[in-house]
Amino acid sequence: MTLQDEVWWLTLAGIGGVALVFLYVISQTARQADTTQVQARASAIRRWFFLALIVLGVGVTAATLVPFPIPSQHPSSQARQVVKAVGRQWGWELSPGPIRAGVPVEFHVTSADVNHGFGIYDSSGRLLAQTQAMPGRTNRLVHTFTRPGKYRILCLEYCGLVHYGMRIEFDVVGTMEVSREHALS
Ligand SMILES: [Cu+2]
């Protein structure tokens, strides 16, 4: 079952639960003509329903926030890689040099003209991390590439006529390859 299926069934169960509460309240009010008794019962139901909602809300929040999709933005200062990225209509400029897999990379992202969206994609087109490229501001984005390979930066914010062409490809190399390069140079 995919995550979407699970969410769908959870939503359905939630709707069912709310419907049952409504039906219960309706059946109770139809049976009892004594209004004070009905009001007391209704407020009791409301209290329990409210409590259940809070428990559900806290539970869902805790369950979905634990695997928070944004990695830590505070890498250890040792062996840190810094890549400067400048966006402009319509292309990207990345500071040269190899990017190593398995070591946190700190992207310093800015723009030379208008707002752009800085999105890092893997070779299969999956979005790995993103931030905004803003003129006059440098946003830091920390990402650790788990495997070597080809990656792409695409613009995620419409920025004019050739927005679609605003992309650049870069390589992430394994740690072994970098040490070999150093040995050769
Ligand atoms: Cu753009």
Side-chain angles (χ1 to χ4, degrees), residues 87-92 111 113-118 133 154-160 162-167:
R88 60 167 55 85
Q89 290 165 316
W90 287 277
W92 295 102
S111 165
D113 39 41
V114 299
N115 264 22
H116 299 282
F118 178 87
L154 300 185
C155 183
L156 289 180
E157 186 166 330
Y158 183 71
C159 57
V162 199
H163 160 72
Y164 65 89
M166 206 169 151
R167 55 178 68 193

Side-chain angles (χ1 to χ4, degrees), residues 17 27 43 59 62 65 68 72-73 78 88 93 114 123 125 131-132 138 141-142 148 150 153 162 165:
S27 72
S43 76
L65 275 189
F68 199 58
S72 166
Q73 295 296 300
Q78 70 239 22
R88 60 167 55 85
E93 203 179 284
V114 299
S123 56
T131 188
Q132 280 240 308
T138 299
L141 175 69
V142 177
K150 296 234 177 264
I153 308 288
V162 199

